[in-house]
Amino acid sequence: SPLQNLKLAVERCHLNVVGSLFGAYASGLSTLTEDEKQIGAIVIDMGGGTTSVAVFLEGHLVHADVVPLGGSMVTSDIARTLAAPLSAAERAKTLYGAALGEMEGGTDMVTLAQMGEEGEDSMLRVPRSMLTRIIQARLEEIFNAVQTRLRASGYDVAAGRRAVLTGGACQLAGTRELAARILNKQVRIGRPGVFPGLAASAAGPDYATAIGILTAGATMPPEILNPDLANVPAAKEG
């Protein structure tokens, strides 16, 4: 249903959808090296609503899965626990958040607005360590869910010890270290390779899927993106 809604939105802009790609697979196309694709690597694409997993081995995608948890849940946890608006929670997470207690600033204080209140007097001041504990708890849940699904699939060992984090939600300080602890793998942050014509600001992990889709569209044969085209007879020259 979400995919059909997305296609409908595109078609209303007078465009046609000729194919679709799994998000984490597209992220892998833009972030993995050829050696990682061949020897084995796990791409963990941390989006807002979901965390997608793609396993590459011998140059191909061999497994895909989705954990229904993402960065927006971290924001919701902060907002719910501290009674802050979602916008204030997102700002606090982005500016002051960390995924590990070792990353937080000791006795530093973070100021958040309160829901339905205005003025400086209503602002809530909390230790930065509290913010970190809220974030860490949710990220631990996400990585534990990823590990559980990988073990159930059998690819936790088969794909080797390389894991690549990408997506907007992986950019918090300490996320890579936390993932390495829980998954027991060598983890790096995956950033898309250089794509001619794009601004330097598009070089972050949050652009990995979009650039992967562009790469696929520019390099893959049309019949791979849309198998229906393989059954269309070639036009005769006249």
Side-chain angles (χ1 to χ4, degrees):
S1 179
L3 181 58
Q4 293 301 322
N5 291 338
L6 183 58
K7 286 183 177 180
L8 180 61
V10 173
E11 290 167 356
R12 285 181 174 176
C13 296
H14 308 289
L15 297 170
N16 293 323
V17 178
V18 297
S20 57
L21 288 179
F22 181 56
Y25 173 64
S27 296
L29 294 180
S30 67
T31 60
L32 293 182
T33 66
E34 290 303 320
D35 286 341
E36 287 174 331
K37 294 177 186 176
Q38 190 66 32
I39 296 173
I42 299 167
V43 177
I44 302 174
D45 189 345
M46 304 182 69
T50 61
T51 297
S52 304
V53 180
V55 179
F56 287 77
L57 191 62
E58 296 182 359
H60 301 283
L61 175 72
V62 296
H63 176 70
D65 206 342
V66 176
V67 174
L69 299 169
S72 62
M73 282 71 170
V74 177
T75 303
S76 297
D77 289 344
I78 296 171
R80 187 177 299 111
T81 304
L82 303 178
L86 287 171
S87 58
E90 179 68 23
R91 181 177 183 276
K93 180 186 75 172
T94 304
L95 295 179
Y96 309 110
L100 280 175
E102 297 94 305
M103 300 290 178
E104 58 91 9
T107 58
D108 290 352
M109 302 296 289
V110 177
T111 303
L112 291 93
Q114 295 293 279
M115 284 189 289
E117 299 187 26
E118 298 180 358
E120 294 294 329
D121 295 340
S122 64
M123 301 290 278
L124 176 68
R125 289 172 54 84
V126 298
R128 191 172 176 182
S129 58
M130 178 182 292
L131 188 67
T132 300
R133 286 196 298 271
I134 297 170
I135 295 171
Q136 183 172 345
R138 180 62 77 174
L139 291 182
E140 285 177 348
E141 181 185 5
I142 293 174
F143 290 130
N144 278 317
V146 169
Q147 185 182 52
T148 298
R149 295 192 179 217
L150 285 173
R151 286 177 174 173
S153 70
Y155 284 105
D156 183 41
V157 176
R161 287 181 48 80
R162 190 63 158 176
V164 177
L165 294 182
T166 189
C170 79
Q171 299 180 92
L172 286 175
T175 303
R176 183 183 70 175
E177 290 79 3
L178 181 63
R181 287 185 188 180
I182 296 175
L183 301 175
N184 191 29
K185 295 186 180 299
Q186 297 175 346
V187 179
R188 73 173 178 87
I189 300 296
R191 294 177 173 81
V194 177
F195 200 94
L198 286 183
S201 59
D206 44 339
Y207 285 89
T209 300
I211 293 180
I213 291 174
L214 289 174
T215 302
T219 59
M220 285 185 173
E223 60 270 16
I224 292 181
L225 294 175
N226 184 5
D228 293 339
L229 295 178
N231 301 321
V232 177
K236 295 182 180 181
E237 295 183 1

